[in-house]
Amino acid sequence: MGNIRGFLDFKRVNFKKLDSKQRIKNFKEFSQALSKEEQEIQGGRCMNCGVAFCQAGLIEENKEIGCPLRNLIPEWNDLIYKGLWEQAYERLDLTNPFPEFTGRVCPAPCEDSCVCAINGASVSIKNNEFAIIENAFKEKFIKISKPNLNGKKMAIVGSGPAGLACGYRLNELGFKVSIFERSDRIGGLLMYGIPDMKLEKSVINRRVELLKKSGIEFHCSYDINSKEKANKLLKDYDGVVLCTGASKAIDLNIKGRNLKNIMFAVDFLTMNTKSLLDKNAPNDLAKNKDVLIIGSGDTSVDCVAVALRQGAKSITRFERSPKRPLKRVQNNPWPLKADIFSTDYGLEEAIAVYGKDVRMYQKLTKEFVGENGFVKGVYASDLKREAINSKMVNVEIANSSKFYKADLILLAMGFSGSENELKSNFNIKFDEKNNILTNDYQTSHKKIFACGDARMGQALVVWAIKDGLECANSIYKSFFA
Ligand code: SF4
């Protein structure tokens, strides 16, 4: 252990962020990493706890405790403190095949479970992870070799984080891996569901090039959308892994839903990224519009950030829940992931531009209102929390309905499971939540496996990576154990 007083002697220093009004001028990443020396000091804040909750990888009360991948966090923190960056990369690489993704987009449940976070600032685990992998790319620590083949061929359908992780591990285990992606670019939600400000697309392409060099084949614009295509895959390969995500977006089927300019958030984000990649210019759907975003997760924040950059006249975000508490409350103790009020990057930018917080809480959208076929606003009521049968639920307040002006509405209410066509095309069973039913990653068809959101339902990128790795291990056992 390098410095047993590090958590007392060194203060947490975050990556610097470009000023909100500056960074919304383009779609580039805006965090500025610390120098190597500054980051080494951040590694020294780790206490090397006897029981390191940051790497527990558990779920309690529906909340994470520590890193789902069980990254060896205290070890690599200490290694960077000692300036041993290559060894730090080697330890990180043992558990996480894509730290450049998690180091950018993970909400870092590890930091909420850090012992330093009990009464102060956690160790900057996510930034340390980012620094280790970016330094590894820079210093060419990453070695790629083609493993010896074991004679089995696997087809992976879907190239999001679960598909890439599963392919990576299967390839390591000697399978000949082909990944099929229906979109025109590899990456799934990483490519089109997360904007460049959080994850520049060159970062995905850089990793895909390494995966290609290690022997994985990629096929873009290849949709397995019929029984014939599914049967061909099953005939040509020893097994098929479905990593197709939870792509069925939750809709809001209320009066006026058929009006124009009401769309799913993921389609809005996809259009923008595609335009940036194909035309080197953003889409301008939100330009000069009053934008209403319905939903409160990370995707809604991304929509705020993209709409701002497109030049929205105003932005409002509706949430059904009340404003979160500023501190942990009794039923959300450490080391669970903290469920507290925070202002993520897009919301921070909106406050800088419009001079006010764009969030409106406890709103229930009742009706979309239009003119000449285009949406012009919504009627929404207020909600209150009430105990019914000892359970706190949202209850609509009578006569509270008001009109809110909006000429672009983005539905960011999450996803409700897998696409139904998979069921019939591959002849597999789904569970009651519309996810693919599996037993140790095997579906009801013995040659077909599933992992990631398609199996678990919508989850964090870090969980999708973990699921992909574990699925590959399970596939290996099913062939060779
Ligand atoms: S993957 Fe996420 S939870 Fe795990 S160490 Fe990195 S930031 Fe923390």
Side-chain angles (χ1 to χ4, degrees):
M1 185 66 193
N3 181 345
I4 54 167
R5 282 184 50 89
F7 68 102
L8 294 171
D9 292 346
F10 311 131
K11 283 213 160 36
R12 175 173 169 132
V13 180
N14 292 320
F15 285 0
K16 289 177 201 78
K17 287 195 245 166
L18 266 184
D19 172 71
S20 289
K21 286 192 179 163
Q22 285 302 315
R23 70 196 195 215
I24 62 161
K25 291 180 181 165
N26 59 50
F27 287 80
K28 296 196 170 110
E29 287 182 5
F30 51 79
S31 289
Q32 296 164 331
L34 303 180
S35 71
K36 225 168 146 183
E37 293 71 28
E38 286 169 317
Q39 205 67 51
E40 286 171 2
I41 288 174
Q42 292 303 299
R45 294 189 67 242
C46 183
M47 297 194 279
N48 199 11
C49 312
V51 179
F53 286 86
C54 62
Q55 58 182 25
L58 300 170
I59 293 270
E60 292 285 338
E61 321 262 336
N62 285 327
K63 296 254 178 302
E64 283 93 1
I65 299 180
C67 173
L69 286 167
R70 301 197 169 155
N71 279 345
L72 303 165
I73 296 165
E75 294 185 35
W76 40 258
N77 278 338
D78 192 44
L79 286 164
I80 65 168
Y81 180 63
K82 290 172 177 157
L84 300 170
W85 285 82
E86 186 162 11
Q87 287 91 328
Y89 162 67
E90 285 165 2
R91 299 307 282 165
L92 176 56
D93 184 54
L94 285 178
T95 54
N96 188 353
F98 312 129
E100 69 274 32
F101 302 156
T102 49
R104 287 174 166 83
V105 307
C106 186
C110 53
E111 295 192 8
D112 287 349
S113 304
C114 171
V115 171
C116 287
I118 296 173
N119 58 5
S122 73
V123 174
S124 55
I125 300 169
K126 179 175 165 180
N127 288 354
N128 291 353
E129 182 178 40
F130 174 97
I132 292 168
I133 187 62
E134 287 307 318
N135 186 64
F137 273 107
K138 194 166 145 218
E139 307 232 0
K140 301 198 177 7
F141 294 154
I142 301 171
K143 312 269 181 311
I144 297 298
S145 57
K146 284 192 182 181
N148 293 331
L149 294 177
N150 65 27
K152 300 286 178 199
K153 290 195 299 179
M154 294 297 293
I156 294 182
V157 184
S159 70
L164 293 179
C166 187
Y168 167 91
R169 176 59 53 83
L170 284 174
N171 184 65
E172 240 181 11
L173 294 168
F175 290 84
K176 180 76 196 118
V177 176
S178 300
I179 299 185
F180 296 87
E181 168 57 54
R182 70 175 165 187
S183 162
D184 58 344
R185 291 181 173 89
I186 297 298
L189 272 188
L190 295 171
M191 177 58 71
Y192 285 125
I194 298 177
D196 282 61
M197 298 81 82
K198 265 180 25 190
L199 178 62
E200 280 184 8
K201 304 312 158 196
S202 57
V203 174
I204 304 170
N205 298 339
R206 180 177 67 177
R207 177 57 67 175
V208 170
E209 285 311 308
L210 293 184
L211 294 173
K212 282 183 186 165
K213 280 190 190 143
S214 70
I216 298 177
E217 282 175 10
F218 288 91
H219 306 270
C220 286
S221 306
Y222 200 109
D223 199 355
I224 316 292
N225 54 0
S226 67
K227 267 197 168 97
E228 291 68 40
K229 285 185 182 169
N231 285 338
K232 183 159 170 31
L233 273 196
L234 287 165
K235 188 164 151 279
D236 292 349
Y237 291 85
D238 295 294
V240 173
V241 194
L242 300 176
C243 312
T244 41
S247 44
K248 212 167 158 219
I250 295 175
D251 209 341
L252 188 55
N253 288 313
I254 55 174
K255 197 173 165 199
R257 174 63 182 90
N258 58 349
L259 290 164
K260 292 199 179 86
N261 287 348
I262 302 173
M263 62 195 303
F264 291 120
V266 68
D267 294 336
F268 173 72
L269 296 175
T270 299
M271 276 166 62
N272 194 68
T273 301
K274 198 156 167 37
S275 181
L276 283 169
L277 290 168
D278 291 348
K279 302 179 192 156
N280 203 18
N283 184 279
D284 62 357
L285 192 59
K287 192 168 183 177
N288 296 328
K289 290 211 172 71
D290 295 305
V291 181
L292 171 65
I293 298 155
I294 302 177
S296 60
D298 288 345
T299 302
S300 75
V301 177
D302 293 335
C303 285
V304 172
V306 170
L308 258 177
R309 283 163 176 75
Q310 288 186 4
K313 197 200 304 173
S314 76
I315 298 178
T316 306
R317 189 180 86 167
F318 277 179
E319 301 187 22
R320 283 173 65 106
S321 322
K323 190 172 174 178
R324 288 191 165 78
L326 296 176
K327 285 188 175 160
R328 285 180 183 274
V329 290
Q330 207 182 1
N331 65 358
N332 179 227
W334 181 92
L336 299 183
K337 187 173 184 322
D339 192 10
I340 55 175
F341 179 79
S342 67
T343 301
D344 204 351
Y345 78 107
L347 297 164
E348 189 179 272
E349 292 163 355
I351 291 169
V353 172
Y354 302 118
K356 60 170 188 167
D357 199 331
V358 299
R359 288 169 279 197
M360 296 186 86
Y361 301 94
Q362 298 184 285
K363 294 285 171 215
L364 176 68
T365 313
K366 303 280 289 183
E367 181 186 338
F368 298 115
V369 182
E371 204 179 279
N372 302 325
F374 286 85
V375 73
K376 286 288 155 215
V378 299
Y379 278 104
S381 299
D382 294 332
L383 295 166
K384 62 179 175 183
R385 299 286 280 166
E386 222 169 68
I388 296 182
N389 296 332
S390 320
K391 228 178 138 190
M392 293 304 285
V393 290
N394 288 323
V395 177
E396 186 180 350
I397 300 174
N399 303 320
S400 62
S401 179
K402 270 195 240 143
F403 178 75
Y404 297 86
K405 199 167 159 241
D407 46 10
L408 175 64
I409 297 183
L410 306 174
L411 306 177
M413 299 172 300
F415 296 87
S416 67
S418 268
E419 286 168 28
N420 284 331
E421 296 76 59
L422 285 172
K423 238 189 246 182
S424 52
N425 290 343
F426 284 95
N427 196 20
I428 50 170
K429 291 193 176 135
F430 280 24
D431 66 16
E432 67 287 351
K433 290 187 178 157
N434 216 31
N435 302 318
I436 299 174
L437 186 71
T438 56
N439 180 7
D440 199 13
Y441 295 96
Q442 194 166 38
T443 68
S444 48
H445 185 306
K446 74 174 177 18
K447 269 184 88 173
I448 306 176
F449 301 81
C451 61
D453 290 4
R455 187 188 79 79
M456 303 181 287
Q458 189 184 2
L460 299 175
V461 166
V462 61
W463 281 110
I465 295 174
K466 178 191 166 75
D467 216 50
L469 295 174
E470 287 191 350
C471 177
N473 292 340
S474 171
I475 291 169
Y476 181 83
K477 271 195 270 153
S478 80
F479 279 105
F480 298 107

